[in-house]
Amino acid sequence: MSHSVITVKGLKKSFKDKVALNNISFDVKMGEILGIVGHNGAGKSTLINTMVDIYKPDEGDVEYLFDRKSMYDHIGVQMQKNYFEGNAKVIDICNLYKKLTKSDIDLDEMLDGFGLSKEKDTYIKKLSGGNVQRLSILLTLINQPEVVFLDELTTGLDPVARRKIWEVLREINRKNNVTIIITSHFLDEIEYLADRIMILNKGEMVYLGGVTTAIDQYSQGEKVIEFQIKDPMASFKLDKYGAIPLNDDRYQIYTKDDEKVLMELITKVGIKNLVVKSPTLEDVFLKIAGYKLDKEGRIINE
Ligand SMILES: Nc1ncnc2c1ncn2[C@@H]1O[C@H](COP(=O)(O)OP(=O)(O)OP(=O)(O)O)[C@@H](O)[C@H]1O
């Protein structure tokens, strides 16, 4: 069992009467990738901001394994918004960070790993949004932190660029045992990267554990039947099955007795375009917190 590098105890944070975090307690293990997911406003950024001392909690406490006074020597924080001087070149900003953090990292190697070698002499104001995002992650890693916080990891990046970032992060996690805490709206990202996931729902931690454990725990041998009904007026017939409405007039039913339910749906309700499958992480989310995903796989509010 690895040590805890961060211990969060009973965190509470409100903004006026809005409760952003309600009694959150957990440990971050050294060398793990912890993925924090939740809908807009679930409390992800507030949690990270409180963990890195940007916000003061109303109650509770965050303990680090290392000396709190030198915390910023040990951690790297990438926030949602970045403000870079537009008239500086990529390499200038990198050198500045390197100097400020007294790092001996090989910048050429890093720029290459992030696919930014060609942009080395590009002015920040001329960079694409995706490249600004890559640069901000790169800068977070320049001081060779032991713990990295990445808020909204790959928002704004195309699928190829996202994969590249995932690989870089996995490598620094595996090679250097860097602990990584990421928030994301994308379940595929968390499923791919995270050793454990935390599901936040309206400021509450509703799940913390392994991805496969989440699926096993919440599915309990159930199958998922997804379908459309032939006659929308017949939707009341689905009530007794606890059907969850999805996009595009589709419904989802969880059942341990898929054969019987399927027969009933076909003969008594009238369904089409049906799929029977084992639950995925996406289904688990839908079940735990009523989340839905948009076409790109991003969590959207109910
Ligand atoms: N500085 C602030 N002042 C007032 N309210 C805030 C502030 N920061 C967050 N909140 C509120 O606290 C709640 C949690 O917000 P937070 O930004 O932590 O959620 P999030 O899960 O990161 O959302 P998103 O995915 O949209 O970034 C929201 O209701 C938000 O409006």
Side-chain angles (χ1 to χ4, degrees):
M1 193 74 179
S2 55
H3 294 292
S4 298
V5 66
I6 308 171
T7 306
V8 173
K9 289 186 194 156
L11 273 197
K12 288 190 183 176
K13 178 77 188 167
S14 295
F15 298 98
K16 296 198 178 129
D17 54 355
K18 174 89 208 167
V19 179
L21 296 176
N22 191 10
N23 205 12
I24 307 283
S25 300
F26 63 98
D27 283 1
V28 181
K29 311 270 176 238
M30 191 179 283
E32 80 167 325
I33 302 184
L34 174 66
I36 303 174
V37 292
H39 56 86
N40 285 325
K44 302 179 294 295
S45 299
T46 306
L47 178 57
I48 290 207
N49 285 334
T50 314
M51 288 173 80
V52 303
D53 273 359
I54 291 175
Y55 290 159
K56 199 176 166 333
D58 301 333
E59 279 178 44
D61 181 22
V62 181
E63 286 168 12
Y64 279 86
L65 189 64
F66 34 76
D67 183 10
R68 196 57 181 260
K69 284 191 194 117
S70 59
M71 182 165 96
Y72 285 98
D73 293 342
H74 299 273
I75 71 172
V77 186
Q78 181 226 357
M79 309 310 289
Q80 276 187 29
K81 289 193 179 66
N82 294 293
Y83 301 99
F84 299 128
E85 170 53 55
N87 289 320
K89 291 178 181 171
V90 168
I91 190 68
D92 298 339
I93 298 270
C94 291
N95 275 323
L96 177 68
Y97 268 65
K98 188 174 164 179
K99 211 167 151 189
L100 284 173
T101 58
K102 301 188 180 78
S103 167
D104 60 0
I105 205 151
D106 183 337
L107 277 181
D108 283 332
E109 204 177 280
M110 264 197 117
L111 286 163
D112 192 38
F114 277 80
L116 285 172
S117 294
K118 280 197 210 136
E119 311 292 347
K120 209 171 152 178
D121 292 313
T122 305
Y123 288 100
I124 304 286
K125 63 183 177 197
K126 295 262 166 82
L127 277 186
S128 68
N131 280 339
V132 172
Q133 176 80 349
R134 289 189 212 199
L135 177 63
S136 83
I137 299 173
L138 182 154
L139 295 176
T140 310
L141 299 172
I142 280 189
N143 67 333
Q144 295 164 291
E146 291 145 66
V147 182
V148 186
F149 293 86
L150 301 162
D151 198 4
E152 307 250 330
L153 181 61
T154 59
T155 298
L157 294 184
D158 62 61
V160 178
R162 290 175 70 210
R163 285 253 153 207
K164 253 194 150 158
I165 299 283
W166 296 357
E167 294 316 323
V168 176
L169 289 179
R170 267 201 162 173
E171 196 172 309
I172 62 151
N173 170 253
R174 300 230 166 111
K175 253 197 192 159
N176 311 339
N177 204 34
V178 174
T179 307
I180 301 178
I181 298 152
I182 52 179
T183 74
S184 179
H185 282 123
F186 295 101
L187 285 187
D188 59 346
E189 186 156 277
I190 296 299
E191 200 162 3
Y192 184 81
L193 281 175
D195 299 304
R196 292 192 303 160
I197 58 167
M198 176 190 297
I199 304 177
L200 280 180
N201 188 35
K202 298 175 187 150
E204 310 265 352
M205 185 172 83
V206 291
Y207 179 79
L208 175 65
V211 174
T212 25
T213 319
I215 296 170
D216 292 347
Q217 186 175 321
Y218 283 91
S219 62
Q220 294 170 339
E222 288 180 330
K223 286 272 193 287
V224 184
I225 308 176
E226 258 183 50
F227 55 90
Q228 286 175 312
I229 42 176
K230 286 181 180 163
D231 174 11
M233 302 295 281
S235 63
F236 69 92
K237 292 184 187 168
L238 296 173
D239 290 351
K240 69 172 186 168
Y241 302 104
I244 304 169
L246 307 173
N247 297 332
D248 304 328
D249 294 327
R250 289 184 76 73
Y251 290 87
Q252 205 177 57
I253 290 175
Y254 285 76
T255 176
K256 285 186 180 152
D257 206 354
D258 51 310
E259 283 180 23
K260 179 170 165 269
V261 172
L262 203 53
M263 276 314 286
E264 287 180 16
L265 289 173
I266 292 169
T267 55
K268 296 186 185 154
V269 181
I271 61 169
K272 58 182 181 178
N273 298 331
L274 70 105
V275 183
V276 182
K277 56 177 191 169
S278 296
T280 59
L281 186 60
E282 187 179 330
D283 301 320
V284 168
F285 266 69
L286 189 64
K287 204 172 166 191
I288 297 177
Y291 294 141
K292 290 180 188 169
L293 302 189
D294 67 11
K295 289 199 170 66
E296 287 166 356
R298 191 192 316 260
I299 299 166
I300 48 176
N301 286 354
E302 292 158 76

